[in-house]
C-alpha cells in the first residue's frame, strides 16, 4: 500500500502519517526530515536546500524527485510506504505517477488533511521540535513535562527556523499556489479522501485508519 498525506504546513501531516505508518507497519517518508538530515550532515543537497528551507521556499523538483526515487527503491519500501511532504507540486505528482507506472506500483490512496488557515498559523508559531528525535510539541496545546525538553529522550526542543510568522506566511502562500491544486489532481483519479484534521490527534488517526480500512487497506 502506497499512501500520500496532503495538507498545508501545520495540518498535522507529520504526526498523523507517523502514527498511521506505525499501525500499518510501513515506513513513513518525510521529505522535510530527509532534507533536514542532509542539512545537518552538510551534504551537497543539504547545502542547496538550507537557505531555501529557512526562507520557507520550495526546494527544486529535480532534487526532490531524485530523493524520492532513491528512497522508495530501498528494501523497506517493498510492501509500501507513506509519503509526508511529497509531492508538493504538479510536476512532482506527475513524475511520481510515471515512476509508479514503470514499476507497476501505483499510489493507492491520498489523504488530504483539512484545517482552517487561522488554526494553522497558531499551530506553527507555537510548535517546538526535539533537536534529536524530531518529536513535536506545542507551547500551549502539547506541553512537554519538562519545559524546553523532549519527553522521550530529554533532548532540547527547538523552534524551527521556518516556524516564524513571516516564513509561515510564505509557506502557506506556496502551499495554496503550488500544492493545493494536487487535491483536484488526485480527486480526479478518485483516490482522494478529505479528513477533518482539527480536534483530538487520536480521533483524527482513527478516522484516517477507518477510511483506509473501508477501502481494503
Ligand atoms: P516540512 O517538514 O514538510 O514542512 O518541509 C520543510 C521544508 O522542506 C519545506 O518548507 C520545503 O522548503 C522543503 N521541502 C520538503 N518537501 C518538499 C518538496 N516535496 N518539494 C519542495 N520542497 C520541499
Amino acid at each position: 500500500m502506497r499512501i500520500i498525506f496532503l495538507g498545508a504546513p501545520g495540518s498535522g501531516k507529520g504526526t498523523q502519517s507517523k502514527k498511521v505508518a506505525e499501525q500499518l507497519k510501513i515506513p513513513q517518508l518525510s521529505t522535510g526530515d530527509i532534507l533536514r538530515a542532509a542539512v545537518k550532515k552538510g551534504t551537497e543537497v543539504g547545502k542547496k536546500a538550507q537557505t531555501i528551507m529557512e526562507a520557507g521556499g520550495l526546494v527544486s523538483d529535480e532534487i526532490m524527485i531524485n530523493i524520492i526515487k532513491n528512497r522508495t527503491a530501498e528494501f523497506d519500501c517493498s510492501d509500501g510506504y507513506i509519503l509526508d511532504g511529497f509531492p508538493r507540486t504538479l510536476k512532482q505528482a506527475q513524475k511520481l505517477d510515471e515512476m509508479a507506472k514503470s514499476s507497476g506500483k501505483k499510489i493507492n490512496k491520498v489523504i488530504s488533511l483539512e484545517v482552517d488557515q487561522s488554526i494553522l498559523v497558531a499551530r506553527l508559531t507555537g510548535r517546538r521540535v526535539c533537536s534529536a528525535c524530531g518529536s513535536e510539541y506545542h507551547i500551549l496545546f502539547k506541553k512537554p513535562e519538562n519545559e524546553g525538553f523532549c519527553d522521550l529522550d530529554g533532548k532540547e526542543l527547538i523552534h524551527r527556523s521556518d516556524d516564524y510568522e513571516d516564513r509561515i506566511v510564505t509557506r502557506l502562500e506556496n502551499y495554496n499556489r503550488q500544492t493545493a491544486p494536487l487535491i483536484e489532481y488526485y480527486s480526479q483519479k478518485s483516490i482522494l479522501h478529505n479528513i477533518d484534521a482539527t480536534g483530538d490527534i487520536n480521533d483524527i488517526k482513527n478516522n484516517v485508519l477507518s477510511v483506509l480500512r473501508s477501502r481494503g487497506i
Side-chain angles (χ1 to χ4, degrees), residues 52-102:
I52 301 170
M53 291 172 76
E54 280 171 3
L58 288 186
V59 176
S60 79
D61 287 335
E62 196 193 347
I63 290 181
M64 298 317 301
I65 289 161
N66 241 326
I67 287 177
I68 284 299
K69 196 172 182 181
N70 293 332
R71 183 63 188 88
T72 56
E74 285 180 30
F75 180 71
D76 64 337
C77 293
S78 50
D79 285 340
Y81 48 79
I82 294 186
L83 294 180
D84 159 19
F86 186 96
R88 257 177 161 100
T89 65
L90 200 55
K91 172 113 186 267
Q92 292 177 13
Q94 288 164 340
K95 200 71 196 177
L96 186 63
D97 277 347
E98 274 175 35
M99 291 192 282
K101 222 180 210 172
S102 59

Side-chain angles (χ1 to χ4, degrees), residues 71-135:
R71 183 63 188 88
T72 56
E74 285 180 30
F75 180 71
D76 64 337
C77 293
S78 50
D79 285 340
Y81 48 79
I82 294 186
L83 294 180
D84 159 19
F86 186 96
R88 257 177 161 100
T89 65
L90 200 55
K91 172 113 186 267
Q92 292 177 13
Q94 288 164 340
K95 200 71 196 177
L96 186 63
D97 277 347
E98 274 175 35
M99 291 192 282
K101 222 180 210 172
S102 59
S103 65
K105 291 179 172 177
K106 65 180 172 83
I107 298 296
N108 305 101
K109 287 283 166 258
V110 178
I111 300 292
S112 173
L113 298 179
E114 308 286 326
V115 180
D116 198 75
Q117 193 118 339
S118 58
I119 298 176
L120 295 173
V121 176
R123 280 187 182 179
L124 290 168
T125 46
R127 175 162 72 175
R128 298 294 181 269
V129 184
C130 174
S131 52
C133 72
S135 295

Side-chain angles (χ1 to χ4, degrees), residues 103-177:
S103 65
K105 291 179 172 177
K106 65 180 172 83
I107 298 296
N108 305 101
K109 287 283 166 258
V110 178
I111 300 292
S112 173
L113 298 179
E114 308 286 326
V115 180
D116 198 75
Q117 193 118 339
S118 58
I119 298 176
L120 295 173
V121 176
R123 280 187 182 179
L124 290 168
T125 46
R127 175 162 72 175
R128 298 294 181 269
V129 184
C130 174
S131 52
C133 72
S135 295
E136 292 190 6
Y137 297 85
H138 192 279
I139 53 170
L140 299 175
F141 314 135
K142 193 186 170 202
K143 295 180 181 178
E145 270 175 28
N146 193 359
E147 196 185 325
F149 297 94
C150 180
D151 289 346
L152 300 180
D153 57 21
K155 296 282 166 31
E156 198 183 348
L157 301 184
I158 54 161
H159 190 173
R160 259 171 58 172
S161 57
D162 56 350
D163 278 346
Y164 288 88
E165 197 150 351
D166 54 337
R167 278 148 267 182
I168 289 171
V169 170
T170 308
R171 288 163 69 201
L172 290 175
E173 279 170 4
N174 283 334
Y175 174 80
N176 289 329
R177 194 163 31 91

